[in-house]
Amino acid sequence: MAACLPGLLRNIDLVKFRCSCGKLSPIYRQYFCRYCLSLRCWYCVSHEVDSYFCGNCLESMPSTEAKMKRNRCGNCLCCPICLHNLSVRASSHSVPNPADPNKPLSKKLYYLSCGQCRWTTRDIGMPDKPAASGLWADPENLHMSRIEVLIEFYQSLASIEKLEKQRKKVSARRRTLTMYDRQTGRRRSSLVSSFSSLGLSTSQPPMEAPIISPLSELPPLSEEFYSSTELSDSSTLPQRHAVPESQPPSRRSLNPIHRQLVLRRNARCRGCDHNLCKPDYIPGSIKFKIELLALHHVPEVGLVAPRNPLAFSVESRVIISISNPSDQPTSLWLQPLSNRELDDVTATIIPPDGELHLAAKDDMAEFEEPSSGDAGTDDAVVYRRSNKIHVATSVTPHKPAGDVVVALRMAYDYHNTVMALQSKGETAAKVSRLSQTLILNLGSVQL
Amino acid sequence: NAEYMGGAGGRTSIRIGPGSIVCADAELKGEIVFGLKCFVHPKARIIAENGPIYIGDSCMIEEQVLIINQLTDGALRGADDRPVMSIGSHNLFEVGCTIKAHKIGDLNTFEPKCVVESQCEISTGCTIGALCHLTSCDRMPDNCVVFGSNNQRRICGDKPQTSASLQYDLISCTANKYHNLKKAKVPAPKPNIPAT
């Protein structure tokens, strides 16, 4: 009979760890800082922009280049109807051959087509292009000149304000310098020369604000709005807002949209400022340069049994599984947490007493024959296989309705390899006793 | 027309037109008529429960497709006054779709896992997108494309075309090697394989 591992209930929200900031989240969503030896969740990590990339062509670019391109990819185009990727299709047309009028040449012309909604560039009347890429020109933005004038005006305003700020700083400094002078009783005329050496120019006259004068009378609404509205021809609001520069009311004016870039981020510990998560340079790669995930450093706790709801005030046997992520064997202690410490707890748990031993994680274990799944030396361990153990606990819900929530404290030995690397000569990793607070949600009470 | 009377129930009667290939693993129940050059993949289920199903030429019915006649009343009536489900030609039924529509025209594509309920009537050149549900339409306009999670529709400007006939050419040569086929009495005509 093949020994099959009893499956974990893989609901991601079943077991939550309390992060160093106090929030609860599953272990799969947390990082572990090896320097501060604490869990960091999504909220107690500072996120920085690493780079930008296009989701379609996977072209990576730094922040400055992305800003220049307005966070859009230059090559990839999206369908204006459904924002799906546009793919290039070829169609051959016969073109009269200048050399021999009897034999027409077949020329390949390209058009863009959406795979999801079957929109093509022919729907808006765009002629097919002779080249597959590079000729898909964007329509001109009618408001571009006005926007440029406005930007120039506000940039000049900003530079004037900056100069004013600098001048205020310098004058404040100047005042303190004269005060020092009064104390010594001497006046230094060289102050004025030092002031002028800062090179502040006199303020430039501000540019005139580019105001558009309001119209005195508006043209009347054309009759078209009252009589003919083809709903199938008009664009929807999301489609219009995707093209804010033109916002065309008609579908026939919807041009292909450049694909928006996607952000890649670094996670940095707020406590010690070390990088916790840094992706690989290539956007298409799933590897990380730095990957300090909690799953690789903190024992993973899961629920094995029972699958049925627990009954109120009945002591039930609950089996939880703990797996050791490190390549060193560890010892583990489980203690219950009193209700006074946490508000949400609705059941009491009696975990096994004493030290639980966990073997090291062996990457070759999945390829080898499974060793006997016996309990090993510890009494409370129900099942053991390589780095995983199943432990029996007893849970008594003491609320008749709602979810059964238990809290545990797990203390374990963590082998820190970072400090060993830093100090030369020491090969043994420093072992520290860490403890984490767990909240397990065992489902609703059986009604 | 090759005729194949089978099934323990006795009411199963399947008529497979010349050139049509039906894999033996497909589940066919009731009165079903196929046209020319159809291909029914294994694990497809065509169940003519409440009435007969007439399928046209060059239809490609892929795996796990469920075509079921559960009509309670239909415009078309068969021989013994049972509602008929009629499917036109050159339709492509991709993997996992569920078709209960009472009338389907030509050149339609039903993408994977779409669901078309019995009140629907699909005309020509429509594309029902993947995982789209058509539950309560009377008649789909021609060349309509249904897509997106909200079952958005739009009329497509392109000519209707399906790859059903192209797929038939490619698969009819190799099907014999890999699938058990229901035997037909009349041999299939030679398919044209496009020169590449």
Side-chain angles (χ1 to χ4, degrees):
Chain A
M1 186 176 77
C4 57
L5 198 66
L8 280 181
L9 283 170
R10 279 265 174 221
N11 186 358
I12 201 172
D13 286 328
L14 223 54
V15 178
K16 289 192 181 167
F17 279 72
R18 185 173 291 269
C19 168
S20 49
C21 65
K23 290 204 177 66
L24 290 173
S25 56
I27 195 177
Y28 315 107
R29 297 215 175 109
Q30 292 186 2
Y31 302 98
F32 181 78
C33 182
R34 282 198 297 189
Y35 303 87
C36 335
L37 293 178
S38 59
L39 281 176
R40 299 279 179 217
C41 71
W42 189 249
Y43 298 102
C44 47
V45 145
S46 59
H47 303 272
E48 300 166 351
V49 171
D50 182 60
S51 63
Y52 295 79
F53 74 101
C54 170
N56 191 30
C57 62
L58 297 181
E59 182 199 341
S60 177
M61 56 183 88
S63 323
T64 42
E65 198 183 332
K67 203 170 175 182
M68 258 176 33
K69 290 192 175 176
R70 311 243 158 87
N71 285 348
R72 304 268 169 172
C73 177
N75 306 327
C76 303
L77 293 163
C78 287
C79 170
I81 308 283
C82 60
L83 294 177
H84 193 68
N85 279 333
L86 286 175
S87 45
V88 182
R89 296 265 171 91
S91 65
S92 52
H93 291 245
S94 53
V95 165
N97 193 342
D100 188 0
N102 291 335
K103 283 192 214 168
L105 272 179
S106 76
K107 193 175 158 193
K108 261 195 177 163
L109 289 175
Y110 300 93
Y111 64 99
L112 293 170
S113 147
C114 170
Q116 192 180 28
C117 66
R118 309 285 166 108
W119 178 89
T120 62
T121 42
R122 292 170 178 171
D123 287 353
I124 51 168
M126 205 189 262
D128 294 356
K129 310 280 183 200
S133 61
L135 291 181
W136 304 108
D138 296 325
E140 257 196 53
N141 188 356
L142 296 172
H143 308 286
M144 203 60 219
S145 51
R146 167 92 183 134
I147 291 174
E148 276 172 7
V149 165
L150 282 171
I151 289 176
E152 262 186 50
F153 171 67
Y154 282 109
Q155 272 177 350
S156 72
L157 262 188
S159 62
I160 290 172
E161 281 179 12
K162 204 169 158 186
L163 282 174
E164 288 285 330
K165 248 196 205 171
Q166 272 187 349
R167 188 176 299 154
K168 276 190 194 160
K169 260 198 218 164
V170 169
S171 62
R173 240 183 274 155
R174 187 190 185 191
R175 261 184 263 120
T176 53
L177 280 169
T178 49
M179 276 173 69
Y180 168 82
D181 242 26
R182 281 196 205 116
Q183 285 176 5
T184 56
R186 273 188 298 163
R187 270 202 161 215
R188 293 174 57 123
S189 59
S190 55
L191 267 175
V192 181
S193 54
S194 67
F195 179 68
S196 59
S197 69
L198 280 169
L200 279 175
S201 55
T202 53
S203 65
Q204 294 163 351
M207 285 171 62
E208 279 193 11
I211 303 170
I212 302 180
S213 53
L215 292 172
S216 49
E217 51 177 65
L218 280 175
L221 205 58
S222 69
E223 278 298 315
E224 283 180 357
F225 286 101
Y226 296 105
S227 48
S228 64
T229 30
E230 271 284 332
L231 271 183
S232 57
D233 189 44
S234 62
S235 54
T236 66
L237 276 182
Q239 288 167 1
R240 278 183 219 183
H241 293 167
V243 200
E245 54 259 20
S246 51
Q247 293 178 41
S250 153
R251 276 198 198 182
R252 272 180 269 117
S253 325
L254 284 174
N255 282 288
I257 303 168
H258 281 276
R259 194 182 173 90
Q260 259 197 327
L261 297 177
V262 182
L263 195 67
R264 306 179 86 207
R265 63 177 99 196
N266 286 342
R268 200 178 273 276
C269 173
R270 286 220 181 126
C272 60
D273 232 19
H274 277 103
N275 247 331
L276 293 178
C277 180
K278 192 166 182 183
D280 200 33
Y281 178 69
I282 306 168
S285 158
I286 58 168
K287 293 187 199 164
F288 290 87
K289 276 191 198 155
I290 301 171
E291 190 185 15
L292 289 174
L293 303 179
L295 202 60
H296 297 328
H297 296 272
V298 177
E300 184 189 350
V301 176
L303 184 68
V304 177
R307 312 276 172 125
N308 306 318
L310 301 172
F312 168 58
S313 79
V314 168
E315 189 172 335
S316 326
R317 188 167 184 250
V318 168
I319 301 179
I320 59 175
S321 87
I322 308 170
S323 87
N324 178 16
S326 77
D327 48 4
Q328 303 274 340
T330 49
S331 313
L332 204 94
W333 292 263
L334 291 173
Q335 293 146 26
L337 276 179
S338 59
N339 288 2
R340 276 173 276 132
E341 294 184 37
L342 299 147
D343 298 326
D344 301 333
V345 172
T346 58
T348 46
I349 185 169
I350 304 173
D353 231 355
E355 193 171 327
L356 297 163
H357 293 275
L358 281 163
K361 181 173 180 178
D362 188 9
D363 286 329
M364 302 306 291
E366 51 181 314
F367 302 111
E368 290 166 358
E369 287 292 317
S371 55
S372 59
D374 59 30
T377 48
D378 302 326
D379 295 331
V381 174
V382 165
Y383 180 90
R384 180 189 293 273
R385 183 173 160 186
S386 66
N387 63 331
K388 283 197 185 73
I389 57 169
H390 288 193
V391 162
T393 64
S394 62
V395 172
T396 316
H398 48 73
K399 275 202 181 144
D403 283 347
V404 179
V405 178
V406 291
L408 273 179
R409 184 175 294 273
M410 176 175 74
Y412 61 100
D413 282 336
Y414 175 67
H415 298 263
N416 199 344
T417 47
V418 172
M419 302 305 173
L421 285 169
Q422 285 179 353
S423 54
K424 299 172 201 173
E426 271 188 42
T427 46
K430 191 178 161 199
V431 176
S432 27
R433 180 78 47 88
L434 300 176
S435 88
Q436 311 289 354
T437 308
L438 300 159
I439 306 282
L440 286 100
N441 188 333
L442 302 172
S444 45
V445 178
Q446 185 180 40
L447 295 163
Chain B
N1 272 348
E3 198 158 328
Y4 172 79
M5 298 285 285
R11 288 196 58 189
T12 302
S13 107
I14 302 168
R15 270 190 285 151
I16 306 177
S20 290
I21 303 174
V22 176
C23 294
D25 286 332
E27 183 187 323
L28 274 67
K29 278 192 197 153
E31 190 192 329
I32 305 171
V33 176
F34 286 97
L36 307 170
K37 291 197 176 181
C38 287
F39 194 96
V40 181
H41 280 65
K43 299 298 179 198
R45 297 168 59 206
I46 306 180
I47 301 173
E49 202 178 290
N50 287 359
I53 299 179
Y54 298 149
I55 301 179
D57 306 333
S58 285
C59 283
M60 179 72 62
I61 300 169
E62 293 190 2
E63 288 88 346
Q64 296 190 0
V65 166
L66 173 62
I67 299 179
I68 185 163
N69 183 343
Q70 279 176 336
L71 303 169
T72 44
D73 58 349
L76 288 172
R77 292 279 160 170
D80 40 353
D81 206 28
R82 296 166 83 218
V84 164
M85 181 180 186
S86 84
I87 297 176
S89 316
H90 297 281
N91 292 309
L92 175 60
F93 296 93
E94 291 189 7
V95 177
C97 57
T98 305
I99 309 290
K100 301 182 187 170
H102 63 274
K103 186 166 174 355
I104 296 177
D106 306 328
L107 292 162
N108 300 304
T109 305
F110 296 85
E111 287 188 8
K113 294 209 172 177
C114 65
V115 175
V116 181
E117 295 285 347
S118 41
Q119 301 94 307
C120 298
E121 184 193 326
I122 318 265
S123 48
T124 318
C126 294
T127 302
I128 315 295
L131 267 185
C132 288
H133 287 243
L134 276 186
T135 46
S136 58
C137 77
D138 284 328
R139 191 183 174 275
M140 287 279 284
D142 282 356
N143 295 345
C144 193
V145 179
V146 179
F147 63 97
S149 46
N150 293 332
N151 300 328
Q152 260 181 299
R153 288 190 199 180
R154 62 175 286 274
I155 307 293
C156 166
D158 271 353
K159 285 187 308 215
Q161 56 181 358
T162 56
S163 52
S165 39
L166 188 67
Q167 287 185 21
Y168 174 84
D169 291 339
L170 293 169
I171 206 172
S172 53
C173 325
T174 54
N176 225 335
K177 276 191 261 175
Y178 301 108
H179 295 315
N180 300 322
L181 305 174
K182 283 199 198 317
K183 295 224 163 36
K185 287 182 188 165
V186 178
K190 284 225 167 32
N192 333 330
I193 304 160
T196 44

